[in-house]
Amino acid sequence: MSPLVASLNLYDIANVKGVAADLSHCNTPAQVSAFTGFAELPDSLKNVDLIIIPAGVPRKPGMTRDDLFKINAGIVRTLVEAAAEHAPNAWINIISNPVNSTVPIAAEVLKQKGVYNPRKLFGVTTLDVVRANTFVAQKKNLRLIDVDVPVLGGHAGITILPLLSKTRPAVEFSPEEIEELTVRIQNGGTEVVEAKAGAGSATLSMAYAAARFAESCIRALDGDESVYECSFVQSEVTELPFFASRVKLCKEGVEAFINADLNGLTDYEQTALEALKPELKASIEKGINFVKQSL
Ligand code: LMR
């Protein structure tokens, strides 16, 4: 839908032609092309500015995102290996779960191939922001368009850290509201997985969020100097090597980290930040070790 998309290459192991034919009838400037099977993966990556990876299997009720590691880790590694070879300068948006591990996997693969640019590798956590904005607007009867809640940390359970105290416009929350909203935002994905009862996880809201994030990337690539998004990136904002925080984007990727979001946290947020670190650290290390051990 973005007028900034000149061409859209769709790659999958099967059933791509129909999706491409379907999408190609939309009256947008994007030229849609289909690429099916591993042999066509290199061509799908030629001259590409932005790669979006939503590949892999979804959760079923009772599963955590980490339960997907066994299958999705290998898929992400294969795709990023191809990206490193055929589109080494492209920006990469990783949606495949567990994002807390798949982004470190991608970074490690790119490092091994000698083309890692941390400014251009992004874990898509926009759905956490989208959910936070929706739930806060509903709870406080606010105009949704005005609401913006930064969500930091990672993209799984307690690693998702909504900073309700930094909500714009400024809103007062009772301790009960903070607890209820935080838990709901952290469990947003699980809410959908359970409602779908075995038929997968969020696809439509995830597509909406991923499209928002991709469009932000493309706007930045196009020279817009006022693009800010939360994303799970290589980071020095905390002692963890990867961390989701608000970043300013520019033509070269991440331009700056909005460190100020971590100043003046409430006790509740500070405790939640400390509590998420061991789990996030373990997920990051699991991703890195997966690539190192398969050398
Ligand atoms: C989500 O947040 O909806 C996605 O990460 C999918 C999932 O398994 O929860």
Side-chain angles (χ1 to χ4, degrees), residues 11 25 42 79 100 190 202 267 284 289:
Y11 166 79
H25 292 185
L79 294 173
N100 291 355
T190 306
D267 288 349
I284 293 168
N289 291 337

Side-chain angles (χ1 to χ4, degrees), residues 58-59 64-65 68 95 97 99 127-128 131 155 160 188-190 192-193 201-203 205-206:
R59 289 198 276 161
T64 65
R65 290 180 182 80
L68 306 175
I95 297 169
N97 272 316
V99 164
L127 184 49
D128 301 316
R131 286 178 175 137
H155 179 65
I160 299 169
T190 306
V192 178
V193 168
S201 57
T203 51
S205 52
M206 179 53 95

Side-chain angles (χ1 to χ4, degrees), residues 4-172:
L4 294 172
V5 179
S7 63
L8 183 62
N9 290 356
L10 307 178
Y11 166 79
D12 206 339
I13 49 175
N15 303 325
V16 198
K17 280 206 171 112
V19 179
D22 190 352
L23 270 177
S24 72
H25 292 185
C26 299
N27 60 333
T28 76
Q31 293 299 310
V32 184
S33 309
F35 299 85
T36 310
F38 192 67
E40 296 189 5
L41 180 54
D43 279 345
S44 78
L45 293 164
K46 290 224 171 90
N47 302 319
V48 157
D49 296 309
L50 171 65
I51 300 168
I52 304 172
I53 305 183
V57 292
R59 289 198 276 161
K60 291 199 183 321
M63 291 170 83
T64 65
R65 290 180 182 80
D66 186 58
D67 292 332
L68 306 175
F69 187 98
K70 264 202 181 107
I71 299 180
N72 291 356
I75 294 173
V76 170
R77 180 179 56 196
T78 303
L79 294 173
V80 176
E81 277 168 358
E85 224 150 282
H86 303 286
N89 295 318
W91 294 30
I92 303 182
N93 292 179
I94 305 239
I95 297 169
S96 310
N97 272 316
V99 164
N100 291 355
S101 301
T102 51
V103 172
I105 288 174
E108 213 49 38
V109 169
L110 294 165
K111 267 184 212 166
Q112 284 182 7
K113 298 272 183 187
V115 294
Y116 180 43
N117 182 345
R119 298 175 70 190
K120 294 184 175 181
L121 176 64
F122 302 88
V124 179
T125 57
T126 321
L127 184 49
D128 301 316
V129 176
V130 163
R131 286 178 175 137
N133 293 349
T134 306
F135 301 159
V136 166
Q138 281 168 356
K139 182 108 215 146
K140 291 298 200 181
N141 265 328
L142 298 170
R143 265 171 25 120
L144 187 53
I145 193 149
D146 297 329
V147 180
D148 186 30
V149 184
V151 184
L152 276 56
H155 179 65
I158 64 156
T159 70
I160 299 169
L161 175 65
L163 297 184
L164 293 169
S165 70
K166 310 269 170 173
T167 298
R168 281 176 301 189
V171 204
E172 289 287 321

